[in-house]
Amino acid sequence: MVEGRETDAVAERPVELAYRPTVGELASGLRARARSTGAGRFQRRALIWTATVMAIGALLSAAGSGHRDTPWPLYAGAVVSVAFTMAMPWLQARRLHLLAERQGDIRGTVDDTGVRLTTAHSSGSHDWHLYSRYVETPELFVLLSADKSAVGFVVLPKRAVADPEEVDRLRAVFDRRLVRADAAEAPGSPRSRGRAVGRGAGSVGLLLLGLLLFFFAFAAVQRATHPDSFPGIQKNTAPISAVMLVLGALAVAGAWWLVRRMTTMRIVTGGLTVLVLLAGGTALYRVAPMLHCWGSDRIARGPEGAYVCYNF
């Protein structure tokens, strides 16, 4: 009986914390919150699509016949806007860190009743009804409020505990009182399996798209590379071909990124990627000698094999 009461006392002993948050930890907490909310995921997807469309538009404008009139200041402004959006978590973390620095070192406890944090100038207690879920990263636990946007959040670094074993006790408390925000993404869950299948299919689709773009890049310079069959000065399609090569390379990179955490699909994708990149290398071998004529309207291949640029 005595041993049982001692075991219960150890289990109920609060987990003690002592830390001073860093900018990196706060930024990581903000990113984890964004990944766990619908608004954050939408913003991330919108940012990726915006950057992709902008890159494609800039490449096509640079390769088109009116490349001299390309609105580069507009593209530069869009790049700055995208970069600012990507840096927003870090900028917000800097502001939060300035406030945290004024508070000094943070000490606290976590148990089944809630979280209590104390600094040199303030103290606060957070009951579990204020938070409904949490996210775990390799360095942090991030507690999220119940509202959809997770306006309220608490960042607790794992280094705040004195003993690494206390991290497991801390996780056990959160598992008893909160729901993991990434529980649906856990390996083996139906949603996880569905996402794995979708990622695999998307990866194969991107590889096929890359192969198609490399084929178009190869075909775009067919006339210029065969002066015997197509004699005379030809329209300079090398810039368009180069754009196709870049887009194909981006498609291959996207295919790899989709399956980077899936061992089996990563191996399969690796084999297919080699074959697709061989096709891209063949197209690049044809296009590379023409790229010095990027700004020219016409091109012709001389008897020695070199390309001559013409502007009319």
Side-chain angles (χ1 to χ4, degrees):
M1 294 294 291
V2 174
E3 183 180 353
R5 286 194 296 270
E6 289 178 352
T7 302
D8 292 340
V10 171
E12 295 173 359
R13 177 170 53 85
V15 180
E16 297 184 356
L17 310 172
Y19 64 101
R20 178 175 290 192
T22 65
V23 175
E25 289 170 344
L26 293 171
S28 180
L30 288 167
R31 286 191 290 268
R33 181 182 69 166
R35 290 193 299 269
S36 303
T37 61
R41 289 190 291 269
F42 175 80
Q43 184 180 21
R44 185 182 181 187
R45 294 190 187 102
L47 180 64
I48 292 173
W49 279 108
T50 300
T52 302
V53 171
M54 183 180 64
I56 293 174
L59 287 171
L60 292 176
S61 296
S65 58
H67 59 85
R68 296 181 181 85
D69 300 324
T70 299
W72 293 116
L74 177 61
Y75 287 125
V79 169
V80 171
S81 177
V82 170
F84 178 79
T85 303
M86 293 179 64
M88 185 62 70
W90 185 84
L91 296 174
Q92 291 176 330
R94 288 284 300 175
R95 295 177 64 88
L96 292 174
H97 185 257
L98 291 175
L99 177 61
E101 280 293 295
R102 297 192 188 99
Q103 299 292 326
D105 292 336
I106 300 175
R107 294 186 176 275
T109 59
V110 177
D111 57 23
D112 285 310
T113 64
V115 180
R116 287 167 294 281
L117 301 176
T118 303
T119 71
H121 306 288
S122 65
S123 63
S125 178
H126 308 277
D127 296 334
W128 290 124
H129 74 275
L130 296 176
Y131 300 96
S132 62
R133 51 205 163 126
Y134 81 97
V135 180
E136 182 178 0
T137 75
E139 298 85 18
L140 307 170
F141 290 108
V142 184
L143 311 185
L144 305 174
S145 58
D147 56 286
K148 292 183 179 180
S149 300
V151 174
F153 71 104
V154 176
V155 176
L156 300 177
K158 293 181 180 179
R159 62 176 176 82
V161 298
D163 189 342
E165 293 182 358
E166 294 289 271
V167 174
D168 294 331
R169 291 189 59 228
L170 195 57
R171 185 184 299 108
V173 174
F174 295 148
D175 285 337
R176 285 196 300 270
R177 295 297 180 177
L178 306 175
V179 175
R180 290 185 66 105
D182 54 352
E185 309 299 331
S189 66
R191 183 175 178 182
S192 176
R193 290 193 296 269
R195 288 177 66 88
V197 172
R199 284 177 176 270
S203 177
V204 173
L206 284 174
L207 285 175
L208 292 176
L209 176 61
L211 183 62
L212 185 63
L213 289 168
F214 289 153
F215 172 77
F216 285 152
F218 186 88
V221 293
Q222 184 75 7
R223 294 174 66 92
T225 53
H226 290 84
D228 295 335
S229 301
F230 306 98
I233 300 174
Q234 306 292 337
K235 183 178 180 180
N236 184 16
T237 56
I240 294 293
S241 184
V243 170
M244 296 296 179
L245 286 173
V246 172
L247 295 178
L250 289 175
V252 172
W256 180 260
W257 183 83
L258 280 176
V259 297
R260 67 193 185 283
R261 297 176 181 173
M262 302 165 59
T263 304
T264 303
M265 281 302 302
R266 192 166 62 235
I267 296 173
V268 174
T269 300
L272 294 175
T273 298
V274 171
L275 298 178
V276 174
L277 289 180
L278 285 175
T282 303
L284 179 62
Y285 178 78
R286 279 196 168 192
V287 176
M290 309 178 191
L291 293 182
H292 70 284
C293 295
W294 185 281
S296 302
D297 298 323
R298 298 290 187 272
I299 192 172
R301 187 176 183 181
E304 304 83 7
Y307 289 91
V308 182
C309 313
Y310 296 94
N311 286 299
F312 297 104

